[in-house]
Amino acid sequence: MTKGEQIYRLMEELFPICRSITGDGVRQTFQKLKEICPSLKTYEIPTGTKVFDWEIPKEWNIRDAYVEDSQGRRVIDFRENNLHVVGYSHPMDKTISLPELKKMIHTYPKLPDAVPYVTSYYKEASGFCMSQNRMNELEDGNYHAVIDSELKDGSLTYGDILIPGESEQEILFSTYICHPSMANNELSGPCTAIYLAQHLARTAHKYTYRFVFVPETIGSIAYINRNFDQLKKNVAAGYNLSCLGDDRTYTCVSTRYGNTLSDRAAELVLRHRFPQYNHYPFLNRGSDERQYNMPGVDIPVCGLYRSKSNEYEQYHTSLDNMDFVSAGALGDSFQFLLDLVFVLEHNAVYKNLCLCEPQLGKRGLYPKTSSRGSSKANGAFKTIDFLAYADGTNDLISIANTIQMPFSDVFDIAQRLAETGLIEKL
């Protein structure tokens, strides 16, 4: 089974679970993720706890919800699709007229066959969601509307994995785990991340790797609040992972000023692997990268997506289902993250130890014969280009960008030159 197929199968298992920013659906999801990577630890933050300017809300759980017509037929059924209920709906059980019911129903007319995803986390509300076409079919009469839910003093659940490396400096991967049945927008991020963590836990590496699984917004705020000093001290680069399962191009959302190691590494890999990738400045941020980059926090986290959140029409609807993602796309996203890790692990600063151009031929780095254009054709020209910028101030990412080569090729040049004693790592 390929890695993409493994990720896809995990997503299929998790897809039916009703997740929210709190509740048993989140805990159930974490139990499944722990089977992939047992070093995943979970934590609970009690309702009412202050986290910077926010407060942990009441815990929400739901058992069932439906709307029955006068014949007892369910025209809305939570068990059919958990998007049919507005997230954090308060309990209800009453008989109402069709006009009253329609006031409680959310649709998305632009996609008339789709059920929209709607929440009301921080304001008391109860409601249902359904497709516009199905709502148009509702007949006059009375309806029985039931939401069997509970809001209580409980806790918010989050998780993390810390994989030690040679250095205490960290690479952060953050993803969210709070949406109900949506495949690309929700499950592709944590399911890809957990397999990446599993892989890194089995290998040696320079950096320490931190994987964070949180409910979006409130969860990342809470995590930063609880781990602020460690994150500020140690995170060298970071990425928020979301929407990694569709077959479209890749997207990178910059850090606030777009000039960090996180930005440079991601854009280098994307530029050479996916030349048509989309680049957005921080002003077009989409997810929890916005919390990590806020002033005073200043943790350099880029957003990595395929189709960016809110930029594809299936986003936040029932059409973001398992048919919208593919094992091939998930496997490719996993490989992209491995390539990114390779760049971060092997990036370094080198200094040229030779005045003027060295004689590459006697070191086996130049062909025995020379003719017009031969140095460019055989790569010797790129070796000289490398040496021209290996001045002790440029790292390999900068040199790769300057001489327009994939990082792996630049790394190979550095290895060969270091072996001959022409450069040294600083």
Side-chain angles (χ1 to χ4, degrees):
M1 187 183 301
T2 67
K3 189 60 66 179
E5 289 169 340
Q6 290 179 304
I7 298 170
Y8 188 92
R9 178 173 291 186
L10 176 61
M11 290 174 61
E12 283 185 313
E13 294 181 34
L14 295 176
F15 188 80
I17 299 174
C18 184
R19 285 166 292 274
S20 187
I21 56 174
T22 62
D24 292 333
V26 175
R27 298 184 186 100
Q28 186 180 350
T29 301
F30 272 125
Q31 287 303 314
K32 191 63 184 177
L33 295 179
K34 285 181 181 181
E35 294 177 15
I36 309 300
C37 192
S39 57
L40 172 61
K41 296 181 180 180
T42 55
Y43 310 83
E44 304 282 346
I45 306 180
T47 296
T49 303
K50 292 283 289 183
V51 286
F52 299 129
D53 196 42
W54 294 63
E55 185 176 297
I56 302 300
K58 289 182 178 294
E59 181 178 326
W60 183 71
N61 287 293
I62 183 167
R63 289 170 287 273
D64 197 8
Y66 57 88
V67 175
E68 293 177 331
D69 65 14
S70 58
Q71 305 300 312
R73 296 171 299 196
R74 290 193 176 191
V75 297
I76 297 176
D77 191 351
F78 168 80
R79 293 179 180 177
E80 175 189 285
N81 188 324
N82 54 39
L83 297 183
H84 275 309
V85 177
V86 172
Y88 259 66
S89 282
H90 285 236
M92 66 178 296
D93 186 344
K94 61 182 180 180
T95 299
I96 55 178
S97 66
L98 179 60
E100 290 177 296
L101 176 62
K102 285 187 173 180
K103 291 179 182 178
M104 300 179 62
I105 294 176
H106 300 265
T107 66
Y108 188 37
K110 185 178 178 181
L111 293 175
D113 289 320
V115 179
Y117 168 54
V118 181
T119 63
S120 184
Y121 298 139
Y122 304 105
K123 185 177 180 180
E124 292 189 9
S126 294
F128 298 92
C129 302
M130 67 188 308
S131 71
Q132 182 67 47
N133 285 340
R134 288 189 69 177
M135 189 177 78
N136 293 342
E137 295 171 355
L138 296 178
E139 300 176 353
D140 287 334
N142 290 329
Y143 289 82
H144 183 206
V146 175
I147 298 177
D148 183 10
S149 65
E150 179 185 35
L151 278 159
K152 65 178 183 180
D153 285 341
S155 60
L156 176 149
T157 311
Y158 72 89
D160 67 6
I161 302 168
L162 200 64
I163 305 172
E166 297 172 8
S167 167
E168 291 185 355
Q169 289 293 102
E170 295 179 6
I171 305 300
L172 168 69
F173 289 103
S174 184
T175 189
Y176 53 86
I177 185 165
C178 57
H179 290 39
S181 296
M182 287 175 286
N184 198 39
N185 179 48
E186 167 70 357
L187 288 173
S188 65
C191 291
T192 304
I194 198 70
Y195 274 104
L196 181 63
Q198 180 198 64
H199 174 84
L200 291 174
R202 297 170 175 173
T203 60
H205 34 78
K206 175 175 69 176
Y207 284 106
T208 292
Y209 286 84
R210 181 185 294 266
F211 288 82
V212 175
F213 302 82
V214 289
E216 194 174 16
T217 304
I218 183 65
S220 57
I221 291 170
Y223 191 86
I224 294 167
N225 179 268
R226 284 201 159 190
N227 299 276
F228 183 76
D229 291 341
Q230 185 80 1
L231 294 171
K232 286 284 287 184
K233 177 183 177 183
N234 289 337
V235 173
Y239 302 94
N240 188 72
L241 306 180
S242 179
C243 304
L244 294 173
D246 65 272
D247 288 292
R248 301 171 186 177
T249 190
Y250 285 78
T251 301
C252 180
V253 177
S254 294
T255 60
R256 200 146 47 98
Y257 291 106
N259 58 356
T260 69
L261 175 62
S262 310
D263 298 279
R264 297 189 304 114
E267 290 173 24
L268 176 62
V269 176
L270 288 169
R271 189 176 299 117
H272 288 283
R273 288 196 75 220
F274 314 102
Q276 303 304 315
Y277 81 97
N278 295 319
H279 176 262
Y280 290 92
F282 186 69
L283 293 175
N284 296 101
R285 57 201 176 274
S287 183
D288 278 339
E289 61 266 16
R290 65 190 193 272
Q291 307 305 335
Y292 292 105
N293 282 281
M294 287 299 285
V297 181
D298 296 314
I299 298 168
V301 172
C302 294
L304 295 181
Y305 311 79
R306 292 192 71 130
S307 293
K308 179 179 167 291
S309 56
N310 214 27
E311 297 289 334
Y312 60 98
E313 65 177 5
Q314 297 88 346
Y315 176 73
H316 273 200
T317 76
S318 58
L319 299 183
D320 188 352
N321 53 36
M322 292 304 299
D323 292 334
F324 182 61
V325 299
S326 73
L330 291 161
D332 200 47
S333 295
F334 181 82
Q335 185 59 53
F336 160 58
L337 295 175
L338 287 183
D339 291 348
L340 181 57
V341 167
F342 180 87
V343 169
L344 293 166
E345 283 289 310
H346 294 94
N347 189 42
V349 177
Y350 288 87
K351 184 177 180 180
N352 184 352
L353 300 177
C354 184
L355 298 178
C356 295
E357 292 182 1
Q359 189 182 55
L360 299 180
K362 67 181 182 181
R363 296 175 172 89
L365 300 175
Y366 200 89
K368 294 180 178 179
T369 59
S370 178
S371 60
R372 182 176 179 179
S374 62
S375 61
K376 291 186 179 181
N378 60 44
F381 195 77
K382 287 295 186 181
T383 301
I384 298 298
D385 285 346
F386 178 98
L387 288 166
Y389 290 95
D391 59 3
T393 64
N394 294 311
D395 61 12
L396 293 185
I397 294 174
S398 295
I399 294 175
N401 280 324
T402 300
I403 68 177
Q404 299 181 346
M405 288 185 73
F407 182 89
S408 58
D409 293 348
V410 169
F411 176 68
D412 287 343
I413 291 174
Q415 293 293 97
R416 292 198 302 271
L417 290 174
E419 289 171 1
T420 63
L422 288 173
I423 61 172
E424 66 176 359
K425 183 190 292 189
L426 301 184

